[in-house]
Amino acid sequence: MTLEQPDSVWNHKPWWCQPWSIILTGFSIISGSWLLFKLVWLSILVALPITAWMGFFVIIFPKLAMQEINQEVD
């Protein structure tokens, strides 16, 4: 007896577009801005769009993609 894993949007994405790589890239950019400039306001300015980008691609995009797939199946 085999248990089938539910299909995930991440199964169809390359390694560089996986949640771990998105989060690692985002944190690296934010940390890099701090290490390079040592300015809190600049790091916050960098962190805002990067955090939005990470949130979209790790949380919102998979839900939207699965809704789209489910609508196509119905």
Side-chain angles (χ1 to χ4, degrees):
M1 180 168 117
T2 61
L3 296 175
E4 289 187 30
Q5 295 282 338
D7 196 22
S8 171
V9 69
W10 303 117
N11 294 338
H12 307 283
K13 296 291 181 186
W15 68 267
W16 48 266
C17 194
Q18 296 294 318
W20 63 268
S21 64
I22 293 169
I23 292 170
L24 183 63
T25 301
F27 284 139
S28 297
I29 292 170
I30 295 167
S31 299
S33 73
W34 170 252
L35 292 172
L36 192 61
F37 300 111
K38 301 261 194 281
L39 297 170
V40 173
W41 66 269
L42 184 59
S43 294
I44 291 171
L45 198 62
V46 168
L48 290 174
I50 297 295
T51 303
W53 168 74
M54 288 189 302
F56 177 79
F57 280 106
V58 173
I59 298 169
I60 297 170
F61 171 71
K63 290 179 183 177
L64 292 175
M66 290 310 293
Q67 285 177 355
E68 185 70 27
I69 291 169
N70 290 336
Q71 285 178 356
E72 288 177 3
V73 170
D74 292 341

